[in-house]
Amino acid sequence: VQLQASGGGLVQAGGSLRLSCAASGSIFSINSMAWYRQAPGNQRELVAAITSRGSTNYADSVKGRFTISRGNAKNTVYLQMNSLKPEDTAVYYCNANLAAGAYFITNNYWGQGTLVTVSS
């Protein structure tokens, strides 16, 4: 199983970015997908998550500014980030909790991370 994230970059405060993540491999089912972020010197934190049924939850710091969604193929997840702030600067990681392989074992999988830099 691989998670491929993309869409990071440099943006000015107040701007927008859209992150994408696609899961591939011998996937049986995806329970949830999420975005985490880690700023220098900080622990990795949950930004937003979405379940297979479409339920979402967000960190308080991004509510009203970020939107997580699933693609039609259900193996993709997007994070639309609006009104970006310098404190949103971090490496953003895609996460998926899914069942895969011949025995449908459920595990957490991580993408490689994509850097988002918001300048003031």
Side-chain angles (χ1 to χ4, degrees):
V1 175
Q2 289 187 330
L3 299 182
Q4 183 67 44
S6 61
L10 173 64
V11 64
Q12 287 188 332
S16 299
L17 281 175
R18 188 190 195 210
L19 304 183
S20 302
C21 176
S24 61
S26 300
I27 298 169
F28 174 70
S29 63
I30 299 178
N31 300 315
S32 63
M33 299 187 79
W35 289 96
Y36 286 73
R37 68 186 180 187
Q38 187 167 18
N42 290 357
Q43 290 186 332
R44 191 173 297 188
E45 63 174 359
L46 175 68
V47 176
I50 185 167
T51 70
S52 59
R53 296 185 179 183
S55 297
T56 58
N57 68 288
Y58 296 90
D60 288 342
S61 60
V62 307
K63 283 181 181 177
R65 300 188 297 122
F66 291 10
T67 302
I68 189 170
S69 62
R70 297 278 294 270
N72 289 334
K74 303 302 181 186
N75 66 329
T76 56
V77 66
Y78 305 100
L79 185 67
Q80 178 65 43
M81 304 185 293
N82 299 328
S83 302
L84 282 161
K85 304 175 180 180
E87 50 263 43
D88 294 318
T89 296
V91 177
Y92 284 70
Y93 296 91
C94 175
N95 169 273
N97 182 272
L98 57 85
Y103 300 101
F104 312 134
I105 295 174
T106 297
N107 268 317
N108 271 320
Y109 294 85
W110 293 91
Q112 81 282 10
T114 183
L115 177 62
V116 172
T117 304
V118 184
S119 63
S120 56

